Amino acid sequence: MDVKWELKILQTFLCWSFLMTIFKCRGTGYSSNTEFSYEDRVIKHLLRKYAERGKYGRPVKNYSDILNLHFGLQLVQIMNLDERKQILTLNVWTNYGWTDVHLRWNVTEFHGVKKINIPAHEIWTPDLRLYNFADERLHERRDSLCIVGHDGSVSWIPQAIFKSSCDIDVKAFPFDKQKCHLKFGSWTYDGLQLDLFFKDNKEEMDTSEFQFSNVWHVISAVGKKSKVTYTCCPEPFIDLTFSITIRRKATFYAYTLILPCVLLTSLTLILFWIPAESPAKLTLGMSTFMAFFILLIIFEANLPPAATSFPVIGTYYCVNMVLITMSSFLCVFVVNMSVSGTRYPVHLPKTLKKVMFSYVARALCMDNVVKPFMDEGHVTCPTTSRRYMGVNGDGSKFTNDWKGSSETLITVQKESNTELAVIHTKVNEIRNFIKIYKERLEDKDRKEKIAKEWKVLALIFDRIFFIIYITTIIVSLMVVLPIIFDSDIED
């Protein structure tokens, strides 16, 4: 009997111990064969509580309590600013901080564990969204763990790439400044449920980890808290808006867009120094126009297609294209004027000749060019006449009077000197030939003088157009550059 009772007592004790072990394991969620650290025990303990309550409600004790959320941005890199699509792409570290009353534990109970890391998708996280979202992706953040303190404080710092819409002003391109906004706020919780504050009370982006950009220079990145009531809901919503002001580094564009523009414009001045007879006078103008057209296409590729304001440098480009086009027309006008004296040997109108040769040429310091053409008479060949015709008191009996020559021949014939009559007949033929040759020389000299007068007039117009063009180029630069640099130093 004693042995049986002892066996029953032993069986009862073993069963009771087994049941107590099972109940203890179930109560704490631990397996009897697994050893957990106290950090693991805290995590399992908190996640088990979260699994019971759910992760969709705000982690507050009472429904009327307002959850305070601290939010900040740390700018890492300006990845791109697409002027055509008007989208700013930033690489940032977002910093969230709030208090979750359901994530608290007793430090002494878990042997000094004060901080743990748990996945963000296992607990409640704020639905903070970028209002001016302009991304085709569904998610902009990378997954990261939340750092939870024993007092319920939660710190969540996920890395994110935000693409936000940005109004582009290209008036001062490429010396422009752009100001873009990133507006963050809860999508569903109003200001009576979730209030927003700047992280560490810093109303600006943190730029301590900012990577150097070859295109943009960050001038400022300030934040502002706002309370807005939308048409959808009567309750006010809180948002934090970060405004980042960046300035373009124009060194690259100065060498690729501005310097070629100035050089091509200066090249236009050479057109008015090339002689009108040279074919390069028109060829160079057309080549310059084509080069400018290609440069304008490259310039247009960097601008948004529907800009509210046209850039000043674009206006300068258009003015230069108009100047080059007009210079081609003016070159044709000058060339035509230069050859018109040869095609149509007509003297310049006296009034035009007097004004251009006497006043305009003197103002342009071209006196030496027009001096040989200031006489009003036609070209004559007095030397030739004296040499071949024997006139003007040289003692010769031959004159330009044909009637007198015939009477002399009759007189000679009356003298019955046949040989002398033959000689005079030959001399008469020679005199007729010399007269015709003389008239041709005089006509040729007259035409050459007319052609030279027209060429000199073309030179005067070339000089006038050169002065007009160089004045226009200098004035346009003096107008454009202050506007660009004033925009550059504006805040």
Side-chain angles (χ1 to χ4, degrees), residues 138-150:
L138 297 179
H139 301 283
E140 66 274 4
R141 288 192 300 265
R142 298 177 60 184
D143 294 334
S144 62
L145 298 177
C146 293
I147 303 174
V148 182
H150 67 92

Side-chain angles (χ1 to χ4, degrees), residues 299 310-321 480:
F299 174 78
F310 193 73
V312 177
I313 190 68
T315 305
Y316 179 66
Y317 267 60
C318 293
V319 170
N320 287 328
M321 289 195 70
V480 170

Side-chain angles (χ1 to χ4, degrees), residues 337-383:
M337 182 182 297
S338 178
V339 300
S340 62
T342 305
R343 293 178 181 177
Y344 312 104
V346 179
H347 282 280
L348 291 176
K350 292 184 178 181
T351 305
L352 176 63
K353 182 177 179 180
K354 184 177 182 180
V355 171
M356 299 301 295
F357 284 28
S358 301
Y359 302 105
V360 178
R362 183 177 300 175
L364 298 177
C365 301
M366 298 178 68
D367 293 337
N368 294 332
V369 179
V370 300
K371 187 176 181 180
F373 305 95
M374 295 302 294
D375 57 321
E376 296 296 334
H378 297 288
V379 178
T380 59
C381 299
T383 304

